[in-house]
Amino acid sequence: MTAETAAAAALTLFLAGLVAAFGARSWIHRRRTGSTGFRGLSGAPGSAEWWGGIFFAAALVLGAAGPALALTGATAPIALPAGVQWAGLAVAIAGFVGVLAAQAGMGASWRIGVDTTERTGLVTSGMFAVVRNPIFTAMLTALLGLALLVTTAVTVAALVCLLLAVEIQVRLVEEPYLLRTHGPAYARYAQRVGRFLPGLGTLAPHPSQADE
């Protein structure tokens, strides 16, 4: 696979993934529920929500810029074996498919961002029975694949920014919200299901549950 072919494939896949995961998904969600599901990733400057949004936006920009710069010749990707590139393409496709499948699995509870005044159903079935945040796991998988397909400082930076965004959003924003909203139901779920990978990142039982 030539560098130009790899860059073109990565850019096409990334843009198609954005359109499907955000544009098309929001449109479908609105048709079914009357809401786009978009709650934003904003917050007061310096807050966890704000930093999560900053890193997420940076990941999107860098994710597109990496293959685009490689395609125009502005940057030269590291020459990896063709087998690694093809594996990266397969991983990226699997990641994007996983994003769409996990989004569909959330049904009416799917949201982009958190509205602390809103209560949605707790989804624990399907992919959510394996990990608590399969959408984010799939996003990271997709971007890892793209970084293997087109390995530059920009694509690696995109992956790092997404990882930071996901860690901040999940640990500091979503998990506290879910614990406040769903209480013991979410706590029990988080004690048995890993955060991003099966068995990893489970929450320890609260001391008050020791005798339950």
Side-chain angles (χ1 to χ4, degrees):
M1 186 184 302
T2 66
E4 292 77 10
T5 300
L11 182 59
T12 300
L13 186 57
F14 184 81
L15 295 178
L18 287 185
V19 171
F22 296 103
R25 184 65 216 172
S26 294
W27 179 79
I28 292 171
H29 197 74
R30 182 167 185 171
R31 288 287 301 271
R32 292 178 176 175
T33 68
S35 168
T36 62
F38 182 78
R39 299 296 181 266
L41 296 171
S42 60
S47 66
E49 295 93 335
W50 186 82
W51 278 112
I54 291 294
F55 282 119
F56 189 75
L60 294 183
V61 172
L62 294 173
L69 291 172
L71 187 60
T72 60
T75 60
I78 296 175
L80 296 178
V84 174
Q85 289 183 306
W86 283 108
L89 179 60
V91 168
I93 292 173
F96 282 120
V97 171
V99 169
L100 299 179
Q103 287 179 330
M106 289 195 72
S109 295
W110 178 74
R111 297 289 186 275
I112 298 175
V114 172
D115 179 353
T116 57
T117 66
E118 186 177 35
R119 180 186 177 94
T120 58
L122 179 61
V123 180
T124 61
S125 59
M127 296 175 72
F128 291 84
V130 181
V131 292
R132 301 199 305 273
N133 302 280
I135 295 176
F136 287 142
T137 298
M139 284 183 177
L140 289 166
T141 299
L143 213 51
L144 172 62
L146 293 181
L148 291 174
L149 183 58
V150 180
T151 307
T152 69
V154 178
T155 54
V156 172
L159 179 59
V160 171
C161 284
L162 181 60
L163 178 60
L164 290 172
V166 165
E167 289 284 357
I168 292 171
Q169 180 68 16
V170 169
R171 293 175 184 267
L172 302 181
V173 180
E174 294 190 2
E175 287 184 357
Y177 160 76
L178 290 168
L179 282 168
R180 290 193 306 270
T181 303
H182 297 286
Y186 180 76
R188 289 191 296 270
Y189 168 59
Q191 287 163 22
R192 69 174 188 274
V193 179
R195 183 178 282 117
F196 300 115
L197 295 172
L200 298 179
T202 55
L203 298 187
H206 190 275
S208 64
Q209 295 177 280
D211 298 327
E212 292 184 3

